[in-house]
Amino acid sequence: MPLTAVAVVLVAVLILVGVPLLLSPGTPKPYLDDRGRPLAHSVSEKIHVNINGVEQGMFIKGRDARNPVLLYLHGGVPDYFLTERYPTGLEGVFTVVWWEQRGSGLSYHSDMAPESLNPEQLVSDTLALTDYLRARFGQDKIYLMGRSGGTFFGIQAAARAPKRYHAYIAVAQISNQLGSERLAHDYMLQRYKDEGNNKMAQRLEEAPVGDTAPLPDAYLKVRDVAMHELGVGTTHDMKSVVTGMFLRSLLHREYTLTEKLNLWRGKLFSGSRLWNTQLSTDLTKKVTRLEIPVYFFHGVYDYTVSYPLAKSYFELLKAPVKGFYTFRQSAHTPFFEEPEKVREILQADVLTGTNGLADPQ
């Protein structure tokens, strides 16, 4: 091979390998004061903790570690990396723990036993991590927030150990997910018909959602693409999983390159194992009462988890204080899409154990 060709190949290899490595130092950004010094009492770290025998990773972020602790349960793919595109401001109100649960992201291990990844184990892990955080930050109780798939075991953890939590906050609360998928399928099919997109309409027509899990492979292949194209997926403005999620995860500098790859390896590993259990479980019959305040946040454009089904579940759920909050500019993630409103509710209602800003009953 001529020397010029060898040089071209080497340069290409350096670019393909070097650029991702340069974008992946894997170090969390500290909070700085006006002089560029670490902000007093702040916390910004990426750590691993042994939880029920498995090393599990998380980001802990807060401008003042004396603030209340908020443990966040993600829905499938850990979404901390999206805070760069969609700042939440939560770290100014809480010490936020962005936990990447067993089998996902920072907690992905290639030798993990598949049978260890189940909702019951995730409930147990949640309670164990809760106890670690209570001891570390010297707080008798913390706040628990779940989103999407995280709400499936989050609400069960809150029901099982209410004395550990001030309140439970559900973002896109799962209830009857199989019913939610049927509603999403029908909605997307009609939208594509109305827009004259016969190709996508045909794909959905050929992949009906039945009454039992698992969902048809043909539907799963079109589901996420369709939801994001129609603005009813992760956020109302995110039109592609590839550009909105995958590429953004590769650009986030607080993960190493291996950790970035593990975000998606973990998704492949854990997705179906948890998903089919969620589809076959009706939470409206499994968890009917909580002994702590409960807050549901839901975007009207959300068809990943049904807005009307979540509202129906909320109405059935018994709790000492509860509030349902509709986000009219949001799809599946209100704290990314309407962060100011989320913070206002958290400070005015959740931290005070009231529901003055909730939707009228």
Side-chain angles (χ1 to χ4, degrees):
M1 181 183 292
L3 289 177
T4 53
V6 172
V8 169
V9 171
L10 289 174
V11 169
V13 170
L14 286 172
I15 291 173
L16 289 173
V17 176
V19 171
L21 285 173
L22 287 172
L23 292 173
S24 310
T27 305
K29 295 179 182 178
Y31 295 103
L32 304 176
D33 62 18
D34 294 339
R35 294 186 175 183
R37 299 173 302 187
L39 192 64
H41 306 298
S42 66
V43 57
S44 178
E45 60 185 36
K46 178 174 63 179
I47 65 169
H48 286 79
V49 176
N50 188 298
I51 303 172
N52 290 329
V54 175
E55 290 294 313
Q56 301 187 39
M58 64 205 74
F59 290 91
I60 302 181
K61 308 284 287 187
R63 299 183 69 83
D64 189 335
R66 298 168 297 183
N67 282 337
V69 172
L70 175 69
L71 173 56
Y72 172 69
L73 314 177
H74 67 77
V77 177
D79 46 12
Y80 169 71
F81 65 87
L82 285 175
T83 59
E84 192 166 50
R85 167 65 179 85
Y86 302 99
T88 66
L90 292 177
E91 68 279 0
V93 182
F94 298 95
T95 296
V96 187
V97 181
W98 299 87
W99 174 35
E100 304 193 354
Q101 300 103 332
R102 176 186 296 252
S104 63
L106 297 175
S107 305
Y108 172 76
H109 303 284
S110 59
D111 59 350
M112 179 173 289
E115 61 272 14
S116 73
L117 193 67
N118 58 76
E120 179 60 31
Q121 183 64 64
L122 289 176
V123 171
S124 178
D125 286 357
T126 301
L127 299 180
L129 177 56
T130 294
D131 286 341
Y132 165 81
L133 296 171
R134 291 166 64 213
R136 174 177 170 177
F137 291 98
Q139 298 183 19
D140 185 50
K141 297 181 180 182
I142 68 172
Y143 290 87
L144 184 64
M145 174 188 280
R147 171 182 169 266
S148 191
T151 68
F152 183 80
F153 59 93
I155 198 168
Q156 295 183 64
R160 188 171 302 180
K163 292 183 180 179
R164 290 176 167 95
Y165 302 107
H166 291 291
Y168 170 64
I169 307 116
V171 182
Q173 175 67 51
I174 284 179
S175 55
N176 178 350
Q177 190 57 28
L178 189 58
S180 176
E181 295 299 329
R182 287 195 294 268
L183 291 174
H185 177 279
D186 294 347
Y187 170 83
M188 293 187 294
L189 175 58
Q190 191 59 53
R191 276 281 304 274
Y192 279 123
K193 285 182 175 180
D194 292 344
E195 294 176 6
N197 190 331
N198 296 327
K199 181 179 178 181
M200 289 295 284
Q202 182 178 352
R203 289 182 68 183
L204 286 164
E205 282 181 329
E206 293 173 352
V209 175
D211 296 325
T212 57
L215 297 173
D217 287 341
Y219 171 68
L220 292 176
K221 287 178 181 178
V222 72
R223 176 186 183 271
D224 284 353
V225 173
M227 284 183 173
H228 286 82
E229 280 186 353
L230 297 174
V232 297
T234 305
T235 67
H236 189 46
D237 69 353
M238 187 184 295
K239 302 304 181 183
S240 167
V241 176
V242 174
T243 58
M245 297 280 288
F246 181 69
L247 292 181
R248 288 197 178 279
S249 72
L250 295 182
L251 295 173
H252 195 76
R253 299 177 63 86
E254 296 185 25
Y255 289 96
T256 66
L257 184 56
T258 298
E259 290 166 349
K260 291 174 181 180
L261 295 176
N262 283 345
L263 286 171
W264 302 99
R265 294 176 72 191
K267 172 63 174 175
L268 294 173
F269 172 76
S270 63
S272 62
R273 290 174 175 83
L274 297 172
W275 180 236
N276 288 329
T277 302
Q278 293 170 11
L279 287 169
S280 58
T281 303
D282 186 349
L283 278 177
T284 66
K285 296 180 175 137
K286 189 175 180 67
V287 180
T288 59
R289 175 187 292 274
L290 291 182
E291 302 303 327
I292 57 176
V294 177
Y295 302 92
F296 278 24
F297 297 177
H298 219 112
V300 294
Y301 293 106
D302 188 2
Y303 276 83
T304 306
V305 171
S306 169
Y307 172 90
L309 289 184
K311 196 159 191 178
S312 295
Y313 184 24
F314 171 82
E315 290 167 357
L316 292 172
L317 192 64
K318 293 180 174 57
V321 176
K322 61 180 190 175
F324 191 98
Y325 302 81
T326 297
F327 291 81
R328 301 202 174 277
Q329 308 302 319
S330 297
H332 197 45
T333 323
F335 56 78
F336 287 154
E337 302 174 86
E338 299 179 65
E340 296 85 1
K341 181 176 178 179
V342 167
R343 291 197 303 272
E344 180 185 11
I345 294 166
L346 290 171
Q347 291 175 297
D349 283 5
V350 177
L351 287 176
T352 62
T354 59
N355 59 3
L357 297 179
D359 295 356
Q361 290 293 306

